[in-house]
Amino acid sequence: MSAEERVRAWRPAVPGVGEVLHAHFTEHAYPAHTHAYWTVLLIDTGGVSYELERTPHDASPRSLTLLPPHVPHDGKAAVAGGFDKRVVYLDERWLPLDLTGAAVRDPTLVDDELVAAVGHLHRSLASPGDELEAESQLAVISERMVHHLDSSVEPRPARAEPKLARRVREVLDRDLTNVPTLESLAAELDAHPTQLIRAFGREYGLPPHRYVTGRRVDRARALLLDRVPPAEVAAEVGFYDQAHLTRHFRATLGVTPGAYARHAA
């Protein structure tokens, strides 16, 4: 790898995500290979030329490409200067293997809203402590990708389900420092993840992860007014660390936890 080429890879604590990879390549060319996961490829700059099962394709900037598991593909820069890409590798709980044929026939998804949603997903995946947010985004994204590959699969309609929404809130309120994953929540309540998200949103006006963040910020405010140091507050209310608390606290209230405590009456 040349000095100009960069790679960052990690495995977030999100069910069904095998790896996240962000990279800039100028000279590297991938030989033909396969993955055990679905490859969800987002090209930010440049472009990639590749063959998928011996058929040539191009992945251009702001495009979304789906490469199915166990199908050979390669890849190289399509333009001088290389390319920047972001990849999330998903297992079959998010994309069924029976969609492999559709992805081989047409791996490029033309959908600006979906591309933007996957960009937001990467920001959540890169933020420790935002796993519930990432999982919630992924549930909606995967449903949309499935519909692109098989238009006969219609997204689940949003409908009023106040009882289900209340049950979701009860589970979330049990312990804000140990909130369950969306997958385990769906299993406990015998519902699909997107059904939970939509029911909760219709009843309370926001997705579950934002509800949790708001509750945590409220608890943090009370502790800060009691002069508890911000680092202790973060652990007490369920944020990943002080930086995680600060980011969400400032986004909610416009000030840092320290400034809030200093100016409190």
Side-chain angles (χ1 to χ4, degrees):
M1 189 166 66
S2 74
E4 296 181 3
E5 297 183 329
R6 302 180 301 275
V7 171
R8 180 191 175 202
W10 71 98
R11 182 180 294 116
V14 177
V17 177
E19 182 186 335
V20 182
L21 174 70
H22 292 181
H24 171 75
F25 286 126
T26 54
E27 301 173 4
H28 177 67
Y30 286 98
H33 63 287
T34 65
H35 296 288
Y37 293 90
W38 285 89
T39 301
V40 182
L41 169 66
L42 184 63
I43 299 297
D44 292 312
T45 65
V48 174
S49 295
Y50 67 96
E51 288 192 357
L52 179 65
E53 209 172 50
R54 297 181 295 279
T55 300
H57 297 275
D58 289 303
S60 57
R62 303 301 299 163
S63 71
L64 191 67
T65 301
L66 277 182
L67 305 176
H70 312 300
V71 178
H73 60 276
D74 58 11
K76 62 182 179 180
V79 298
F83 59 92
D84 289 276
K85 69 173 184 176
R86 288 177 286 172
V87 186
V88 57
Y89 296 93
L90 304 177
D91 72 18
E92 60 189 270
R93 79 189 71 187
W94 295 115
L95 288 167
L97 290 179
D98 60 11
L99 295 175
T100 294
V104 169
R105 288 190 297 273
D106 190 3
T108 301
L109 306 187
V110 180
D111 185 334
D112 289 342
E113 290 186 10
L114 181 58
V115 167
V118 173
H120 288 301
L121 170 66
H122 275 277
R123 286 190 282 277
S124 298
L125 291 169
S127 302
D130 286 350
E131 288 80 12
L132 180 60
E133 178 176 355
E135 195 181 4
S136 299
Q137 293 168 334
L138 190 50
V140 177
I141 287 168
S142 67
E143 184 179 66
R144 191 159 181 152
M145 290 191 297
V146 167
H147 180 65
H148 271 284
L149 294 176
D150 184 356
S151 58
S152 69
V153 179
E154 291 293 337
R156 292 171 176 79
R159 60 183 185 271
E161 295 181 281
K163 183 177 179 180
L164 177 60
R166 287 194 295 271
R167 292 173 66 201
V168 172
R169 190 176 70 172
E170 288 170 0
V171 174
L172 297 178
D173 285 340
R174 280 194 313 226
D175 184 358
L176 290 172
T177 65
N178 187 27
V179 172
T181 65
L182 186 63
E183 180 182 60
S184 61
L185 184 60
E188 179 177 344
L189 300 181
D190 192 26
H192 192 276
T194 54
Q195 182 185 6
L196 297 184
I197 295 167
R198 290 178 174 142
F200 195 91
R202 287 182 67 87
E203 186 70 10
Y204 299 114
L206 74 174
H209 69 270
R210 289 188 184 170
Y211 173 78
V212 170
T213 297
R215 289 292 317 281
R216 287 173 172 169
V217 168
D218 274 350
R219 291 185 59 184
R221 292 169 68 175
L223 291 172
L224 290 166
L225 293 179
D226 289 337
R227 306 303 179 189
V228 178
E232 294 181 23
V233 170
E236 180 70 21
V237 303
F239 284 109
Y240 181 79
D241 55 18
Q242 186 174 345
H244 190 217
L245 163 67
T246 298
R247 179 159 55 85
H248 284 292
F249 197 94
R250 179 158 39 196
T252 303
L253 296 174
V255 297
T256 66
Y260 182 85
R262 285 193 302 273
H263 295 92

